[in-house]
Structure formats: structure tokens, C-alpha cells
Amino acid sequence: TFMGVTDFSNTSWEGASFSEAVFSQPVVFDGTKFLSSVNFEDAQFKKDTLFNSVHFFGNAYFNYTRFSYYSYFTGAEFLGDASFSDIKFDWASDFTAANFTHDARFIRSEFDTIGFSNAFFGGLAQFGVTRFHRLADFGSSIFAGEADFALARFEDAVSFENASFEN
């Protein structure tokens, strides 16, 4: 458990695991480089979480994680698979201009307000059985691979304005 504000900005990690970690205060990973796969499965982020401009060179595992406050992944680069399945985002989340080079899985997850504007999905973009409780913005995003929204539930407004589906 990390009790105080945790700032890992602009650090580099090889083979990191934060599985089941609890971040009680804000945590900042802005500009961090995860040089191989990283595991955040079953982690709890209880305050603001910042992953802006982070580079994930391997797979990024966030399955079963809970974001209890704001989460920011603006401009994040996912160069391996990104797994965000069975996650609950209790507050607004921002993936604006995020780059998912390979598969991005958000299966059975729940979002409050979510921004994916100007995001790039190079592989499978899977949002099956996902619930979007408030605004979901995919405006100007590019889906180069398959986009799967099977059984997704949009409870409020959704925007795909100027989005491109290439497959």
C-alpha cells in the first residue's frame, strides 16, 4: 500500500509488477517508460491517477483494477497489447490521443465519462459487454483493426464524430 502521494514521473521500469497494489493518494507516472510488460492487475487507485505520455513497450495488464477517482492516459503509447478488462472507472477517464499499436481490450468494464478522442487503435479494439454510464467520446479516433462493441451499453451520449473505421 502506497499511503502518500506517489510520483514515478519520467522513470524507467523493466519487468514491473504493481499487482494488488493500493494507491491511497494521487499517483503520477507521467512520462514513465515501462521497457517490458507491466502488471497492474487487481490494483486500486483511490485518488487521481496520471499516466500521461507513458510508453508501454511490452504488454500492459490492468485487468480487475479499480480507478476510484480521475484517471488520465493522455498521449499514452501502448506498443504491446493493452488489457483493461473487468475494470471499473468510477470518475472521468481520459485516453485522448492514446496510441494502441496492438490489441486493446476493455471487455466487461465500466466507464463514467470517457474520452478516447484522437486515439489510434492499430489492432483489435474490443469493448464487448462494456457499460458507458455517461458521455463516451471517440471523436476523430482511428480504428485500423477490428472494432468490437458487441453488447456494449451506452447509457448517455456517445460520439464517433469524424472517427475512421478502416477494417
Side-chain angles (χ1 to χ4, degrees):
T1 300
F2 295 85
M3 299 302 290
V5 174
T6 306
D7 189 350
F8 293 120
S9 296
N10 300 308
T11 57
S12 294
W13 299 78
E14 180 78 40
S17 179
F18 293 92
S19 179
E20 299 183 15
V22 177
F23 296 92
S24 297
Q25 295 298 318
V27 59
V28 181
F29 283 96
D30 288 352
T32 295
K33 292 180 178 152
F34 292 102
L35 304 174
S36 59
S37 293
V38 61
N39 185 352
F40 284 96
E41 291 185 324
D42 290 304
Q44 295 179 44
F45 296 93
K46 296 190 174 195
K47 295 291 182 183
D48 288 355
T49 306
L50 290 85
F51 283 93
N52 297 310
S53 301
V54 170
H55 295 276
F56 296 94
F57 288 94
N59 295 334
Y61 301 102
F62 284 88
N63 302 320
Y64 312 106
T65 297
R66 182 149 195 177
F67 293 89
S68 298
Y69 218 65
Y70 295 101
S71 55
Y72 302 91
F73 290 83
T74 305
E77 297 273 342
F78 296 89
L79 302 175
D81 289 345
S83 296
F84 286 87
S85 296
D86 297 290
I87 288 189
K88 184 148 170 96
F89 293 91
D90 292 328
W91 288 76
S93 300
D94 189 1
F95 286 84
T96 297
N99 181 4
F100 299 92
T101 303
H102 293 284
D103 293 349
R105 291 183 177 88
F106 291 86
I107 305 164
R108 293 178 307 274
S109 292
E110 289 188 44
F111 291 102
D112 185 72
T113 300
I114 182 66
F116 280 103
S117 63
N118 295 297
F120 175 80
F121 297 92
L124 172 64
Q126 196 167 27
F127 291 89
V129 196
T130 296
R131 292 180 67 186
F132 299 89
H133 295 292
R134 296 181 195 243
L135 174 65
D137 182 7
F138 290 89
S140 299
S141 290
I142 297 172
F143 295 87
E146 180 183 350
D148 177 5
F149 287 87
L151 301 176
R153 188 171 169 185
F154 296 95
E155 298 172 359
D156 202 335
V158 60
S159 173
F160 287 96
E161 185 176 357
N162 296 318
S164 173
F165 295 88
E166 299 176 355
N167 186 3

